[in-house]
C-alpha cells in the first residue's frame, strides 16, 4: 500500500454538513441546484440486505444505550449493517424509542452533534430524528 493510500484510509470522511457548505460555496452565485446535492455514499458490500424487521432491530440495538459521541454510533451502524437505504426506518424507530428523563439531555446533545459532524446519511438522519422527538 502506498503512502497516499494509507493516508486516505486513515483520513475520516468529511461531515455531511461541511461537505454541503463546500458545495454551496462552489456553486454559481451561492445557489444550490434545483434538486439539491447528492449525498456521498460508500460502496455497498455484497452482503444480503437486512429485512425491515432486522433493520429496525439493528437500529434499536445501535441506539441502546445512547452513545455519547457520533463516532460510536457510526461504528455501531457499520457493524450492524445499517446503510443509507434504512433512513426511513431510522426515523420511525427513533420516534418509538423510550427515552427516560435522565437521557433527554444526552439524546439532545447527541442529536446536535450528529447533525453537525455526521459523516453518513443514517447518522445525520438519527440526529434529526432525535431532535424532532425531543422538541
Amino acid at each position: 500500500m502506498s503512502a497516499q493510500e494509507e493516508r486516505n484510509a486513515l483520513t475520516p470522511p468529511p461531515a455531511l454538513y461541511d461537505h454541503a457548505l463546500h458545495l454551496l460555496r462552489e456553486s454559481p452565485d451561492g445557489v444550490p441546484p434545483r434538486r439539491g446535492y447528492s449525498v456521498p455514499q460508500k460502496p455497498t458490500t455484497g452482503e444480503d440486505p437486512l429485512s425491515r424487521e432486522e433493520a429496525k432491530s439493528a437500529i434499536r440495538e445501535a441506539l441502546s444505550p445512547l452513545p455519547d459521541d457520533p463516532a460510536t454510533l457510526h461504528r455501531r451502524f457499520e457493524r450492524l449493517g445499517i446503510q443509507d437505504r434504512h433512513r426511513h426506518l431510522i426515523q420511525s424507530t427513533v420516534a418509538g424509542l423510550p427515552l427516560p428523563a435522565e437521557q433527554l439531555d444526552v439524546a439532545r446533545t447527541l442529536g446536535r452533534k450528529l447533525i453537525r459532524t455526521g459523516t453518513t446519511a443514517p447518522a445525520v438522519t438519527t440526529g434529526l430524528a432525535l431532535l424532532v422527538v425531543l422538541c
Side-chain angles (χ1 to χ4, degrees):
M1 185 180 279
S2 71
Q4 181 64 36
E5 288 172 340
E6 277 188 41
R7 191 173 312 118
N8 290 342
L10 296 175
T11 304
L16 293 183
Y17 179 81
D18 294 334
H19 179 70
L21 287 178
H22 172 75
L23 292 174
L24 190 59
R25 281 192 288 274
E26 288 186 350
S27 302
D29 299 324
V31 178
R34 184 176 179 96
R35 298 199 65 172
Y37 298 112
S38 298
V39 175
Q41 298 180 0
K42 292 171 59 174
T44 57
T45 60
E47 298 174 13
D48 291 334
L50 299 173
S51 72
R52 182 177 176 85
E53 289 307 313
E54 290 171 332
K56 287 179 89 167
S57 176
I59 293 165
R60 277 190 226 101
E61 183 181 336
L63 294 172
S64 180
L66 280 176
D68 291 335
D69 65 317
T72 302
L73 186 66
H74 282 97
R75 285 191 300 272
R76 288 180 185 176
F77 275 176
E78 189 164 334
R79 179 177 49 87
L80 294 168
I82 304 301
Q83 299 176 358
D84 288 357
R85 67 176 173 267
H86 299 119
R87 284 183 275 177
H88 63 285
L89 289 174
I90 290 171
Q91 293 171 341
S92 63
T93 303
V94 169
L97 283 178
L99 290 173
E102 62 272 4
Q103 284 192 329
L104 295 181
D105 286 338
V106 172
R108 192 173 291 112
T109 301
L110 177 64
R112 288 180 183 138
K113 286 180 184 178
L114 287 169
I115 290 170
R116 184 62 195 254
T117 64
T119 59
T120 63
V124 174
T125 301
T126 301
L128 289 168
L130 283 169
L131 291 180
V132 165
V133 167
L134 296 170
C135 291

